[in-house]
Amino acid sequence: MRIYVKVTPRAEKNEVEKISDGEYKVKVTDPPEKGKANEKVVELLAYHLAVPKSSVKIIAGKSARIKIIDVG
């Protein structure tokens, strides 16, 4: 399954919000430096979707706010 995610780094709290089927908004407290925010996005989505972290992969947008993520 592929999903589109809009990421907000340096937010006040970590949060995952489902916008529609296949679209999510993710807020992370980590800064977008050295992949820290991306790691947190993967961790939060894995928890929210009840899948292991190893099955959540960023396939596009590693340095952008909008990412395409492959789950499964």
Side-chain angles (χ1 to χ4, degrees):
M1 158 172 83
R2 287 218 169 134
I3 59 173
Y4 293 88
V5 177
K6 182 175 181 185
V7 178
T8 305
R10 291 192 178 118
E12 285 190 26
K13 61 181 180 174
N14 294 320
E15 184 175 55
V16 177
E17 179 185 342
K18 184 174 182 176
I19 308 262
S20 66
D21 279 347
E23 286 187 64
Y24 290 83
K25 201 184 266 189
V26 179
K27 295 180 182 180
V28 295
T29 56
D30 294 347
E33 298 164 355
K34 298 180 184 171
K36 290 180 183 178
N38 285 342
E39 289 174 20
K40 195 64 162 183
V41 167
V42 168
E43 182 182 319
L44 289 171
L45 282 172
Y47 179 77
H48 182 79
L49 299 170
V51 297
K53 283 194 288 186
S54 61
S55 60
V56 178
K57 293 182 178 43
I58 299 173
I59 56 172
K62 289 189 182 198
S63 62
R65 285 184 185 235
I66 297 179
K67 302 177 186 310
I68 299 173
I69 297 182
D70 194 24
V71 180

